[in-house]
Amino acid sequence: LVLIVDHAEGLVDSGTDISPYVTIAFNDRPAAEKTFVCHNTHTPIWDEKFKLAGLNEVTHLTFTVWNEGVHEDGFLGQARWDITKRDVNGTVDVVLQPRPGNIGDVQGLERWGSFGKLSLIVEWILH
């Protein structure tokens, strides 16, 4: 799978300047990949390519958008993308959601109305 983490729109945070980056996790494992940080923007453009292999046992990818902080990184949103069908090529927009069971995230969603969206470009390479 060739995956480009392209850009995000509508990111919200209580601070004025955010420096977002994205982590990619396979199934429910710890993050395996990470984009670079886009400094001081609510509309980051990463356009960063990842070649993901060994996905036979993987059912979904989890994308988490973080705000790089001085002492601690802040959560900006998360999207889970089902890859079992493997029939999607081109641009995929995923809506960012709160983390399951996280009350603070749910309150943030109620306050802001949306965490925004993440745009990916997907190309399945068959071998």
Side-chain angles (χ1 to χ4, degrees), residues 50-124:
F50 296 92
K51 293 181 180 177
L52 306 178
L55 299 177
N56 290 339
E57 303 297 318
V58 176
T59 60
H60 64 274
L61 301 177
T62 301
F63 301 92
T64 306
V65 183
W66 297 96
N67 178 22
E68 182 182 63
V70 175
H71 301 290
E72 183 177 46
D73 294 350
F75 176 80
L76 295 175
Q78 188 174 75
R80 183 175 159 152
W81 183 50
D82 180 354
I83 65 167
T84 56
K85 295 184 179 85
R86 297 190 159 118
D87 61 351
V88 175
N89 282 294
T91 301
V92 175
D93 290 331
V94 291
V95 175
L96 297 172
Q97 300 289 332
R99 291 169 286 197
N102 188 298
I103 299 300
D105 292 354
V106 172
Q107 291 170 340
L109 182 61
E110 290 170 354
R111 179 175 45 234
W112 295 310
S114 168
F115 283 140
K117 72 175 183 176
L118 183 64
S119 291
L120 313 167
I121 300 171
V122 176
E123 180 183 357
W124 287 100

Side-chain angles (χ1 to χ4, degrees), residues 16-20 37-44 67:
T16 55
D17 293 326
I18 63 172
S19 296
V37 177
C38 287
H39 294 281
N40 302 318
T41 181
H42 285 261
T43 55
N67 178 22

